[in-house]
Amino acid sequence: MSQPETSATSTASSAETSTTPSPASATPAVILTGDRPTGPLHLGHYVGSLRSRVGYQHDYQQFIMLADSQALTDNMDDIDKVRRNVVEVALDYLAVGIDPAKSTILIQSQIPELAELTFYYLNMVTVARLERNPTVKAEIVLRGFERDIPAGFLTYPASQAADISAFKASIVPVGEDQIPMIEQTNEIVRRFNRIANRDILVECKALVPEIGRLPGIDGKAKMSKSLGNTINLGASADEITAAVKKVYTDPLHLRVQDPGHLEGNVAFIYLDAFDTDKAALEEMKAHYVRGGLGDSIVKKRLEAVLQEMLAPIRARREEFAKDKGQVMQMLKEGTARAREVAAKTADEVKAALGLNYF
């Protein structure tokens, strides 16, 4: 979605990572995943997490969090953006095939036990350790905070540790850049268990997707809502066409007969991610590299692949959007189920800290 005071790079605090979860057992492992509701989800989200979540829900106990409280740490000047996108992101979940009967979808802010656990965990980590977290450092630079860092943003690792440990998740799907957050979560878990003198909280493993971050259509390193270089899951056919025309290819491929390059070529990166006819795609790559294949042909194939993939997702999204009240009811029910789990963990934590007076 954070941990005694040790270096994030030390062996003791390193998070175990994997690209595939372990097979389901008689007691399904718990997965926690989620998104900040700051805008509609896009192809990067689909590759990075959504597609996998649809599969996980059949074999694991999966909690999917709409992290609205966390989103406010750098959106307090536009709180309506966060509020309205809670339902919009939920619509994307339903559209891709996440089943609320198999996955528990919850709203972070509506589970006060998460904030309570965060408060306790902040006493188990120093400001210096928070500032050393590589993920936090990178995000501070990205947002241009310099030293004007919102306190809630700086303490996000403790908040994420609360989110993960509240549901006793043992598997957390994240990108490679988020592994330091999992390491710090495990540090906090271990320190708390030492204080309690027994294992109450559960250490977690980072699950890194085989396909990493999807670049934006402009060739930037990351597809991002804030950079405006996305193709949204709910994009119309015309929007997909317009976006594909802007997709970055090989700037040195000036003539059709010139040999093309695949490295950094966003059109082929997308085809690798979404084209199911791998044999035909490999033939196209070979043709492009030796020359004689224009970028327009590559983009035509890419558009066909994306149109076919996104059309049913868009249709389902439009159908669910006809009754947003029902979508909100689904979120209310999922949040209620999740709160029961988090409240039980919070009670265990308070008892271990001697805060069970009555």
Side-chain angles (χ1 to χ4, degrees):
M1 278 230 9
S2 303
Q3 320 167 347
E5 182 64 11
T6 57
S7 168
T9 59
S10 69
T11 302
S13 65
S14 62
E16 184 180 356
T17 62
S18 174
T19 57
T20 55
S22 301
S25 61
T27 303
V30 177
I31 289 179
L32 176 72
T33 182
D35 299 281
R36 288 160 41 102
T38 55
L41 302 186
H42 49 66
L43 290 181
H45 295 107
Y46 188 70
V47 166
S49 59
L50 295 176
R51 187 162 55 182
S52 297
R53 293 176 195 174
V54 175
Y56 296 156
Q57 67 186 352
H58 300 294
D59 299 309
Y60 300 89
Q61 185 180 3
Q62 180 170 238
F63 292 90
I64 304 177
M65 176 181 291
L66 289 158
D68 58 336
S69 296
Q70 202 285 322
L72 287 177
T73 60
D74 59 335
N75 283 283
M76 284 300 281
D77 59 342
D78 191 0
I79 58 176
D80 185 59
K81 178 176 74 171
V82 175
R83 180 179 177 83
R84 68 174 180 268
N85 276 302
V86 164
V87 170
E88 294 305 312
V89 173
L91 286 171
D92 287 331
Y93 288 167
L94 297 172
V96 300
I98 292 173
D99 184 348
K102 297 178 179 178
S103 294
T104 300
I105 306 174
L106 61 121
I107 301 176
Q108 182 186 34
S109 66
Q110 301 306 295
I111 303 181
E113 289 79 7
L114 300 179
E116 184 179 11
L117 289 173
T118 299
F119 181 78
Y120 300 141
Y121 294 172
L122 283 172
N123 297 309
M124 301 178 194
V125 63
T126 67
V127 172
R129 176 64 182 93
L130 293 169
E131 290 179 330
R132 289 203 307 273
N133 186 301
T135 304
V136 173
K137 290 168 66 175
E139 292 292 335
I140 288 172
V141 172
L142 180 65
R143 287 165 171 77
F145 285 147
E146 296 182 355
R147 292 304 300 169
D148 293 324
I149 309 166
F153 192 90
L154 179 63
T155 58
Y156 174 45
S159 172
Q160 184 162 345
D163 296 340
I164 295 169
S165 63
F167 302 106
K168 299 191 175 179
S170 59
I171 301 173
V172 184
V174 293
E176 282 196 41
D177 61 324
Q178 292 290 314
I179 289 176
M181 303 293 278
I182 303 304
E183 293 173 342
Q184 200 161 8
T185 289
N186 287 337
E187 290 173 15
I188 288 177
V189 165
R190 283 193 291 270
R191 182 167 185 184
F192 175 83
N193 286 341
R194 285 203 300 272
I195 292 170
N197 202 30
R198 63 186 187 278
D199 290 343
I200 294 175
L201 304 181
V202 176
E203 290 191 45
C204 59
K205 176 175 64 176
L207 181 63
V208 180
E210 294 182 4
I211 299 178
R213 286 182 181 272
L214 206 65
I217 61 174
D218 54 2
K220 301 293 184 183
K222 176 183 177 182
M223 181 175 283
S224 169
K225 291 169 283 191
S226 61
L227 297 176
N229 60 0
T230 69
I231 299 178
N232 293 337
L233 296 177
S236 68
D238 288 345
E239 288 171 336
I240 294 170
T241 298
V244 171
K245 288 179 179 178
K246 298 177 183 177
V247 166
Y248 183 85
T249 54
D250 176 8
L252 302 178
H253 191 230
L254 303 178
R255 300 175 301 174
V256 171
Q257 61 267 35
D258 291 339
H261 299 85
L262 301 180
E263 185 176 358
N265 192 318
V266 174
F268 280 107
I269 293 173
Y270 287 5
L271 285 169
D272 278 333
F274 303 114
D275 194 337
T276 58
D277 190 344
K278 299 303 181 185
L281 177 56
E282 289 306 313
E283 290 181 12
M284 173 174 274
K285 287 181 179 179
H287 190 176
Y288 189 78
V289 169
R290 68 175 178 263
L293 183 65
D295 289 326
S296 62
I297 303 299
V298 178
K299 289 187 175 184
K300 183 178 180 180
R301 181 184 184 93
L302 174 60
E303 182 184 350
V305 167
L306 293 181
Q307 295 283 13
E308 181 180 5
M309 183 186 77
L310 292 177
I313 293 175
R314 180 173 62 246
R316 287 194 296 269
R317 195 184 196 285
E318 291 171 352
E319 189 63 29
F320 284 118
K322 292 178 181 178
D323 191 351
K324 291 187 177 181
Q326 184 60 36
V327 175
M328 189 57 72
Q329 180 61 30
M330 176 272 293
L331 292 175
K332 182 178 180 180
E333 293 172 1
T335 300
R337 293 196 304 272
R339 187 176 180 186
E340 289 181 6
V341 177
K344 183 178 179 181
T345 301
D347 285 345
E348 291 178 301
V349 167
K350 287 191 289 186
L353 295 176
L355 303 177
N356 54 339
Y357 302 108
F358 311 113

